[in-house]
């Protein structure tokens, strides 16, 4: 028989166990209640597999992250590589004057611009003030930053060079430098890999930013790397550039100098220029120019638009730094011009962008002139919009973004107070477009006998023996009319101004040397309201220097009085301008001249018999000649099976616009195919440099039977 203390201990343990069971039961009941009260979370889909660049998918631009990938040339085995080739060649050379370099750094890069065939965000960032710059750098904090082709295409179109970025930073960058600079041979090999990428993708060189501390013993191989890259680029791409960033010094220290001096000049001496860090003082541009000697314009003094310790504070005072740089007789490098987009400057991006670049123009001036060559064509498209048109007909109402589609941009002067002008001038995405998604809209008031002019372009076009044809499209309201004023100069310092107008203008014709009455151009199939005007000019030996839009009013009809009130509302839209030699005829190879092939065909069932189709299309001329067409509009036409009078027939769908290609390839991704569709016809509409497009019925096609039909 147990003693009393032991018996008491047993009772206590039994009570504890009983209490714990009670607590357990209450907890179980509580858990059940919680499960009943809170719905079971939905099972999350598994994370997407890692990006495999060899597999078919919507083409994107992306950087190279490791030296191993750079050395192996694996990029060229990517499914995306052929789509990333720039298609617009660069015709201009770097002038011997002060220059403006623009370095685009925005949220790590590769945002909406990574979608090579275009995206759906019509509010994405873009640049359209190309006439103010000479060099564009695409920057990110990844080892090898390859510019998306949309930037290269539109920059080249406007005469601007494009550079990629090679950067090493932090501990990872130090490890990469140890490999890169291990031997002279490794330095040469990696330099050749970078040059090869620039040549293959069609851009013009590299910004080199070695933002790590190095051992002094590594500096000789670093110089070998920079020198060999520069020489290899020059031999492969005449006019190419390699720019050194002011970071590591000749002694291996990571010590930004903010000027050109003896600590960074040895790198400057073996490449095409230096991008000076942006925390310089007022005398540094002048001092740097003295050190550079006759290469003073190869010194690009940095300005951080965000204002991080930059001279003048950047932001809306960026022009203060530009003024000092200009006095110092060096070039300038603007870093992160997307500041106004990222910080949501008021009242909106379009207005703040025009205002900010307007300050740059007042300080630095216009550096690019166009038209320079024929044919010249612009639809004023900024590479984004809310609809898309071809030859005056709207073919899509979907928002879109594709900077490769950007046309030559007008040099519209920013007016801070639009009430100072009777007519407001703007690139408008909401109004109808003749081509693409933009136009130039003129709206306001204009008195009966008055006229209003607005600069569109500064030109450098020398005219020869043959007459030159001018064609432009206008959509207007009421008696609002729109013409073009052309300014010419000769080698004898003689100037002339010619007005192209749709009717004789007596009230202000004395303001021009000559008035040419345009003739309406008949083009069937245009959207109602567009009027195409044409005129031919012979000005042998003269140079076209400026193009202005001229707003005026038509003469009232006979015995039809004007409204009693003046001034009267004015509204007109300029859709496009084409300038080309009169003997140059637009011609397209017949559809039978093309080979169109399909690769990577993939069908997927969705629901109720409907499917999706993904396929890569490629095309080329049968005779093997290189194509000279800048872009291709891609459509899909769905053919549905039906029974007609007991006989099989097919019903054709209206062609659906899929996008625009700037290389001879296009990837159709997850195209919805209804269950009643028996086959698909993909149409490749060929477009010429003068803006004309082949008729859809005459365009090359490829037919695909629906799987299972």
């Amino acid at each position: 028989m147990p003693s009393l203390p032991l018996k008491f201990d047993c009772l206590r343990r039994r009570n504890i166990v009983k209490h714990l069971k009670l607590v357990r039961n209450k907890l179980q009941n509580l858990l059940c209640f919680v499960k009943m009260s809170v719905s079971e979370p939905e099972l999350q889909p598994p994370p997407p597999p890692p990006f495999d660049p060899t597999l078919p998918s919507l083409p994107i631009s992306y950087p190279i992250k490791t030296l191993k990938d750079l050395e192996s040339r694996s990029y060229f085995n990517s499914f995306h590589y052929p789509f990333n080739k720039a298609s617009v060649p660069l015709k201009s050379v770097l002038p011997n004057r002060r220059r403006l370099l623009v370095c685009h750094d925005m949220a790590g890069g590769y945002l909406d611009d990574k979608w090579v065939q275009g995206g759906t965000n019509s509010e994405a960032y873009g640049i359209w003030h190309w006439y103010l710059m000479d060099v564009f750098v695409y920057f990110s904090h990844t080892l090898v930053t390859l510019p998306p082709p949309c930037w290269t295409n539109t920059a080249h179109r406007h005469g601007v060079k494009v550079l990629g970025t090679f950067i090493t930073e932090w501990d990872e960058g130090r490890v990469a430098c140890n490999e890169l600079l291990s031997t002279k041979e490794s330095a040469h090999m990696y330099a050749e890999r970078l040059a090869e990428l620039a040549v293959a993708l069609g851009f013009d060189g590299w910004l080199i930013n070695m933002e790590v501390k190095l051992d002094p013993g590594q500096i000789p191989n670093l110089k070998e790397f920079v020198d060999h890259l520069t020489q290899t680029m020059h031999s492969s791409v005449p006019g190419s550039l390699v720019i050194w960033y002011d970071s590591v010094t000749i002694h291996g220290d990571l010590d930004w100098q903010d000027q050109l001096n003896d600590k960074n000049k040895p790198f400057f001496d073996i490449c095409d220029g230096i991008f000076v860090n942006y925390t310089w003082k007022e005398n540094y541009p002048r001092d740097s120019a003295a050190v550079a000697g006759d290469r003073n314009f190869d010194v690009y003094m940095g300005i951080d638009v965000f204002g991080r310790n930059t001279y003048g504070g950047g932001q809306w005072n960026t022009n203060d730094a530009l003024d000092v740089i200009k006095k110092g007789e060096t070039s300038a490098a603007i870093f992160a011009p997307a500041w106004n987009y990222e910080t949501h400057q008021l009242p909106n991006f379009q207005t703040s962008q025009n205002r900010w670049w307007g300050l740059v123009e007042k300080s630095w001036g216009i550096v690019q002139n166009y038209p320079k060559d024929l044919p010249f064509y612009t639809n004023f498209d900024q590479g984004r919009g809310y609809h898309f048109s071809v030859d005056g007909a709207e073919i899509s109402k979907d928002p879109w973004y594709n900077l490769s589609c950007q046309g030559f941009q007008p040099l519209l002067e920013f007016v801070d107070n639009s009430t100072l002008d009777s007519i407001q001038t703007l690139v408008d995405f909401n109004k109808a477009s003749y081509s693409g998604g933009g136009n130039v809209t003129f709206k306001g008031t204009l008195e009966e006998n008055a006229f209003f002019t607005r600069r569109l372009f500064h030109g450098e076009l020398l005219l020869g023996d043959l007459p030159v044809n001018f064609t432009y499209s206008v959509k207007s309201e009421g008696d609002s009319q729109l013409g073009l004023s052309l300014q010419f100069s000769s080698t004898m310092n003689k100037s002339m101004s010619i007005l192209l107008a749709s009717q004789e203008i007596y009230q202000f014709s004395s303001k021009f040397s000559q008035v040419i009455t345009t003739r309406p151009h008949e083009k069937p199939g245009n959207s109602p309201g567009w009027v195409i005007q044409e005129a031919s000019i012979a000005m042998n030996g003269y140079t076209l220097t400026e193009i202005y839009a001229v707003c005026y009013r038509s003469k009232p009809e006979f015995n039809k009085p004007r409204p009693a009130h003046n001034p009267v509302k004015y509204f007109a839209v300029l859709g496009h301008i084409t300038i080309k030699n009169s003997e140059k005829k637009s011609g397209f190879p017949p559809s039978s001249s093309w080979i169109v092939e399909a690769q990577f065909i993939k069908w997927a069932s969705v629901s109720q018999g409907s499917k999706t189709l993904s396929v890569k299309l490629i095309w080329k001329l049968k005779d093997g000649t290189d194509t000279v067409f800048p872009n291709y509009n891609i459509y899909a036409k769905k053919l549905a099976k039906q029974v007609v009078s007991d006989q099989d027939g097919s019903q054709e769908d209206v062609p659906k616009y899929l996008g625009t290609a700037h290389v001879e390839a296009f990837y159709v991704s997850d195209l919805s195919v209804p269950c009643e569709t028996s086959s698909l016809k993909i149409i490749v509409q060929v477009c010429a440099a003068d803006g004309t497009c082949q008729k859809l019925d005459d365009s090359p096609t490829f037919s695909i039977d629906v799987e299972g039909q």
Side-chain angles (χ1 to χ4, degrees):
M1 182 174 187
S3 63
L4 184 62
L6 182 58
K7 181 179 179 181
F8 177 80
D9 186 57
C10 289
L11 289 173
R12 185 175 62 178
R13 280 186 291 175
R14 288 195 195 101
N15 288 334
I16 292 174
V17 171
K18 184 178 179 181
H19 179 72
L20 288 175
K21 287 181 178 180
L22 182 63
V23 171
R24 182 192 64 184
N25 292 336
K26 287 185 177 180
L27 287 174
Q28 287 177 339
N29 292 335
L30 178 62
L31 183 59
C32 291
F33 176 78
V34 170
K35 285 184 176 181
M36 291 167 51
S37 302
V38 180
S39 60
E40 290 285 345
E42 295 182 4
L43 291 176
Q44 295 297 320
F51 172 62
D52 185 345
T54 65
L55 298 179
S57 62
L58 270 177
I60 64 169
S61 298
Y62 62 93
I64 296 175
K65 298 182 178 181
T66 67
L67 285 179
K68 180 181 178 181
D69 288 340
L70 178 61
E71 179 181 0
S72 69
R73 304 176 69 249
S74 61
Y75 182 84
F76 296 108
N77 297 323
S78 166
F79 174 82
H80 305 264
Y81 159 58
F83 298 94
N84 275 275
K85 296 179 180 180
S87 58
V88 179
L90 181 67
K91 298 180 180 179
S92 64
V93 296
L94 202 64
N96 185 29
R97 54 156 172 75
R98 55 183 172 82
R99 313 175 195 118
L100 187 65
L101 179 152
V102 173
C103 188
H104 174 51
D105 172 39
M106 177 177 161
Y110 301 101
L111 303 173
D112 294 280
D113 53 3
K114 76 177 181 180
W115 303 108
V116 177
Q117 296 177 170
T120 59
N121 181 13
S122 58
E123 305 298 324
Y125 179 74
I127 286 177
W128 52 89
H129 295 81
W130 297 102
Y131 52 89
L132 301 177
M133 66 188 82
D134 300 282
V135 182
F136 175 85
V137 178
Y138 194 79
F139 183 91
S140 80
H141 292 276
T142 310
L143 183 69
V144 180
T145 301
L146 303 172
C150 62
W151 290 106
T152 306
N153 284 335
T154 188
H156 280 185
R157 187 174 293 119
H158 291 86
V160 176
K161 293 183 184 294
V162 176
L163 309 184
T165 303
F166 181 82
I167 185 171
T168 59
E169 54 186 349
W170 311 112
D171 294 340
E172 185 179 357
R174 180 65 190 270
V175 172
C177 283
N178 290 340
E179 170 62 27
L180 169 71
L181 307 176
S182 59
T183 64
K184 176 181 176 181
E185 289 73 22
S186 65
H188 283 197
M189 180 269 291
Y190 286 115
E192 290 165 8
R193 293 292 188 270
L194 292 177
E196 181 184 30
L197 284 164
V199 173
L201 297 179
F203 59 93
D204 310 295
W206 294 95
L207 172 68
I208 305 300
N209 186 1
M210 311 297 287
E211 206 133 4
V212 293
K213 178 176 175 57
L214 297 175
D215 296 331
Q218 293 176 303
I219 298 302
N221 284 341
L222 176 58
K223 293 175 66 178
E224 286 286 344
F225 171 71
V226 175
D227 181 65
H228 193 65
L229 176 59
T230 304
Q231 299 306 318
T232 306
M233 282 300 310
H234 288 178
S235 62
S236 303
V237 182
S240 56
L241 297 176
V242 174
I243 305 292
W244 175 261
Y245 188 78
D246 166 31
S247 49
V248 70
T249 69
I250 196 65
H251 305 299
D253 299 318
L254 182 56
D255 187 10
W256 301 269
Q257 299 299 296
D258 301 326
Q259 61 184 314
L260 180 65
N261 59 23
D262 58 354
K263 292 185 179 180
N264 52 30
K265 189 171 183 293
F267 301 113
F268 173 79
D269 290 339
I270 55 177
C271 67
D272 300 301
I274 184 170
F275 185 146
V276 174
N277 191 52
Y278 44 78
T279 55
W280 45 269
K281 294 180 171 55
E282 187 170 359
N283 59 305
Y284 285 10
R286 183 178 63 252
D287 294 347
S288 297
V291 174
D294 59 2
R295 289 188 60 200
N296 55 307
F297 296 134
D298 293 337
V299 178
Y300 299 84
M301 303 299 296
I303 307 170
D304 181 5
V305 182
F306 276 85
R308 292 162 288 203
N309 298 317
T310 200
Y311 182 88
Q315 302 182 16
W316 294 111
N317 298 314
T318 297
N319 52 314
D320 292 345
L322 288 173
D323 291 341
V324 173
I325 293 171
K326 186 165 59 174
K327 291 177 183 178
E329 285 295 304
T330 62
S331 294
I334 291 177
F335 184 77
W339 161 80
N340 64 340
Y341 181 89
E342 293 191 74
T343 57
H344 308 288
Q345 293 295 299
L346 298 176
N348 54 60
F349 171 55
Q350 189 81 6
T351 303
S352 64
Q353 172 97 321
N354 289 332
R355 178 190 169 201
W356 188 87
W357 283 102
L359 296 173
V360 173
E361 179 180 344
K362 287 180 180 179
S363 173
W364 202 255
I366 294 170
V367 300
Q368 299 286 354
N369 295 318
Y370 40 84
K372 291 183 179 180
D373 305 294
L374 294 180
F376 173 80
Y377 167 76
T378 180
N379 58 4
F380 311 107
D381 195 324
Q382 286 189 358
R384 58 198 180 100
Y386 306 111
H387 50 74
F388 197 87
S389 298
V390 174
D391 289 339
E394 187 175 86
I395 61 173
S396 173
K397 297 181 181 295
D398 297 328
W400 62 278
Y401 171 85
N402 188 345
L403 291 178
S404 284
C405 294
Q406 191 177 93
F408 280 101
Q409 292 301 295
L411 284 64
L412 298 178
E413 183 179 3
F414 178 74
V415 180
D416 201 14
N417 186 354
S418 60
T419 59
L420 297 176
D421 285 332
S422 61
I423 292 179
Q424 182 183 5
T425 308
L426 69 154
V427 173
D428 196 341
F429 308 108
N430 295 300
K431 301 298 181 182
S433 301
Y434 181 78
S435 174
N439 59 57
V440 180
T441 296
F442 304 84
K443 59 183 181 181
T445 57
L446 190 66
E447 296 181 0
E448 180 176 341
N449 295 319
F451 71 99
F452 173 87
T453 64
R454 175 67 79 200
R455 177 191 72 188
L456 295 176
F457 297 106
H458 272 279
E460 244 178 72
L461 180 62
L462 177 63
L463 275 61
D465 297 334
L466 296 173
V468 173
N469 280 350
F470 287 77
T471 306
Y472 59 97
S473 56
V474 176
K475 178 180 279 192
S476 60
E477 295 179 359
D479 59 358
S480 303
Q481 298 292 324
L482 190 65
L484 297 179
S485 170
L486 312 174
Q487 309 297 313
F488 294 92
S489 65
S490 71
T491 54
M492 306 299 293
N493 292 324
K494 183 179 179 181
S495 60
M496 285 189 66
S497 60
I498 296 179
L499 172 65
L500 307 183
S502 59
Q503 59 178 266
E504 294 184 11
I505 307 297
Y506 297 107
Q507 61 267 38
F508 54 85
S509 59
S510 61
K511 303 290 185 180
F512 302 90
S513 306
Q514 184 181 354
V515 178
I516 296 178
T517 304
T518 58
R519 57 189 181 275
H521 174 68
E522 296 295 333
K523 191 167 185 179
N526 286 340
S527 178
W530 287 106
V531 178
I532 315 300
Q533 301 290 351
E534 275 190 327
S536 183
I537 296 176
M539 297 286 291
N540 186 16
Y542 278 80
T543 298
L544 175 62
T545 57
E546 290 180 303
I547 301 177
Y548 287 82
V550 180
C551 302
Y552 64 97
R553 294 194 172 282
S554 59
K555 294 183 296 184
E557 296 179 14
F558 184 69
N559 288 334
K560 186 175 181 180
R562 293 278 193 190
H565 58 281
N566 272 327
V568 185
K569 178 183 176 183
Y570 179 94
F571 182 87
V573 174
L574 181 61
H576 86 286
I577 297 176
T578 300
I579 310 172
K580 60 183 180 180
N581 287 325
S582 57
E583 73 167 10
K584 185 72 173 178
K585 302 294 183 182
S586 295
F588 297 100
S591 60
S592 58
S593 301
W594 294 88
I595 299 174
V596 184
E597 298 176 342
Q599 300 174 342
F600 306 104
I601 299 175
K602 179 183 177 182
W603 292 97
S605 296
V606 183
S607 63
Q608 298 179 345
S610 62
K611 300 176 182 293
T612 61
L613 170 67
S614 297
V615 58
K616 177 185 176 183
L617 294 165
I618 58 174
W619 54 90
K620 62 181 178 180
L621 289 169
K622 290 180 179 178
D623 60 10
T625 58
D626 293 332
T627 57
V628 293
F629 302 106
N631 56 282
Y632 308 84
N633 296 324
I634 312 300
Y635 304 79
K637 180 184 285 189
K638 302 168 185 176
L639 285 75
K641 272 287 189 183
Q642 65 176 6
V643 177
V644 181
S645 301
D646 296 328
Q647 294 181 353
D648 286 341
S650 64
Q651 181 180 9
E652 292 191 351
D653 187 24
V654 176
K656 175 181 174 59
Y657 171 71
L658 301 181
T660 298
H662 294 85
V663 293
E664 285 71 48
F666 189 86
Y667 187 69
V668 179
S669 177
D670 294 326
L671 176 66
S672 177
V673 182
C675 59
E676 65 270 14
T677 304
S678 62
S679 63
L680 292 168
K681 182 187 290 184
I682 307 296
I683 305 172
V684 181
Q685 184 181 38
V686 184
C687 300
D690 63 1
T692 57
C693 295
Q694 192 171 23
K695 294 180 180 178
L696 288 185
D697 291 342
D698 300 332
S699 299
T701 63
F702 186 87
S703 295
I704 305 175
D705 290 332
V706 175
E707 185 183 57
Q709 295 291 327

